[in-house]
Amino acid sequence: MRFVPSFCAALAPMFGVLLAFAALPAGAEEGKAVFSDASRIVSIGGSITEIVYALGEEGHLVARDSTSSYPEEAQKLPDVGYMRALSPEGVLSVNPTGILALHDSGPKEAVDVLKKSSVAFIEVPDHYNHEGILEKIRIVGKALGVEAKAEKLAAETDAKLTAAEKKTASIKDRKRVLFVLSTQGGKILAAGSDTAADGIIKLAGAVNAVEGFSGHKSMTDEAIVSAKPDVVLTMKGGGPPISEEELFANPAVASTPAGTNRKMISMWGGYLLGFSPRTAEAIHDLAVELYGNQVAD
């Protein structure tokens, strides 16, 4: 039986995915720190992709996830989907030799399948602090076999972060900041500890107005009032935008110092919360929004 060439071409990606699952036993390439073949890498996580480009190693990339929108050239790469809603078939369809994924990529079932495929899978931790950014740079550099370049970038980033943090060191009256992820259904979904929002608020010399829970959680009206935020921080580009009108129409928010002064700051999510080589700039920009001319030059 003879196949029409175009029909065979259409089936090729499907066969490639099936072969990827069957080629090697479970877990054959999991737990590695360096790719044995870095010629075709899928980058999952915006900060990971940023670091690859900052290292000048973007030639290794054959695809990226939808959070990888910076630098602009990255958007020309095939998109394998949102980092927390991946499908193994989508990731493996680009025939990668390696997958470089930020911790908390998911869903867990999809990541488990990818880890058990024949494709090398390297997971990069995501700690929301100064040292966490340097760690990411070093791990990505090692994975790609460019440790010297990674050390140079880490040193440059370290110096920029230190300088950005020093600019608010002398400020005594620290702003209380409430990070609101969404207001859907009239519920305020806020960021507690162990979140990127908590990390960037602290690095910018402010205080997270929320205490007592980690991750993101819907807050009661009483909890919002008790938090007494001076400022509400939101992000752009991560779902339905939050308008000032909608936010301050909430009676609990309206009764806080932030509501009284209608103080809301909105920044691009990938820039604000990415914990990447650009984070020093994000710290500075947020600090200026919070403290104005109190930020040291």
Side-chain angles (χ1 to χ4, degrees):
M1 180 178 177
R2 298 181 63 187
F3 288 90
V4 178
S6 60
F7 180 68
C8 293
L11 288 179
M14 185 184 303
F15 288 145
V17 170
L18 292 174
L19 287 171
F21 283 112
L24 286 178
E29 293 287 347
E30 186 184 351
K32 297 186 72 174
V34 185
F35 291 121
S36 55
D37 181 355
S39 61
R40 297 181 59 82
I41 303 299
V42 175
S43 177
I44 298 172
S47 62
I48 303 303
T49 304
E50 282 192 40
I51 291 168
V52 173
Y53 274 86
L55 290 169
E57 298 297 319
E58 63 272 17
H60 295 280
L61 299 179
V62 292
R64 47 91 192 184
D65 78 304
S66 61
T67 70
S68 298
S69 58
Y70 183 90
E72 191 174 338
E73 306 91 85
Q75 298 177 36
K76 298 175 184 177
L77 292 166
D79 184 345
V80 298
Y82 177 52
M83 66 172 284
R84 292 191 175 89
L86 301 170
S87 76
E89 293 84 1
V91 175
L92 296 174
S93 69
V94 296
N95 298 315
T97 59
I99 300 166
L100 194 55
L102 193 61
H103 177 70
D104 272 350
S105 296
K108 182 180 182 302
E109 295 78 13
V111 171
D112 287 345
V113 170
L114 290 171
K115 286 181 176 180
K116 291 175 181 177
S117 77
S118 63
V119 179
F121 189 103
I122 295 178
E123 187 171 68
V124 183
D126 198 12
H127 301 299
Y128 308 122
N129 53 40
H130 182 135
E131 285 302 321
I133 298 169
L134 307 185
E135 179 187 31
K136 278 199 277 193
I137 292 170
R138 292 184 175 115
I139 290 173
V140 171
K142 183 173 184 178
L144 298 176
V146 290
E147 290 175 90
K149 290 174 77 171
E151 281 303 325
K152 183 174 184 292
L153 178 60
E156 293 169 353
T157 304
D158 184 25
K160 290 177 182 178
L161 288 168
T162 299
E165 291 169 64
K166 282 183 178 177
K167 291 183 177 182
T168 59
S170 63
I171 295 173
K172 292 183 171 55
D173 185 16
R174 303 280 167 165
K175 300 287 187 183
R176 294 177 61 80
V177 180
L178 175 67
F179 180 84
V180 176
L181 185 63
S182 81
T183 57
Q184 289 186 324
K187 295 288 186 181
I188 298 295
L189 185 63
S193 60
D194 302 317
T195 60
D198 181 72
I200 198 70
I201 287 168
K202 291 174 179 174
L203 287 172
V207 176
N208 189 347
V210 170
E211 299 174 344
F213 68 84
S214 62
H216 298 90
K217 183 178 178 181
S218 291
M219 296 185 70
T220 64
D221 290 349
E222 293 80 6
I224 293 169
V225 173
S226 298
K228 298 179 182 177
D230 299 301
V231 179
V232 174
L233 177 63
T234 66
M235 69 174 185
K236 295 182 281 189
I242 300 172
S243 68
E244 283 192 34
E245 291 72 21
E246 176 187 13
L247 180 68
F248 296 125
N250 182 296
V253 176
S255 69
T256 66
T260 301
N261 298 311
R262 292 185 70 84
K263 185 61 177 175
M264 171 180 163
I265 299 169
S266 187
M267 295 173 63
W268 286 104
Y271 178 61
L272 178 68
L273 307 176
F275 282 78
S276 73
R278 292 190 297 160
T279 294
E281 298 166 42
I283 292 169
H284 173 267
D285 291 351
L286 178 56
V288 169
E289 289 282 354
L290 290 168
Y291 299 112
N293 58 14
Q294 292 183 68
V295 176
D297 292 329

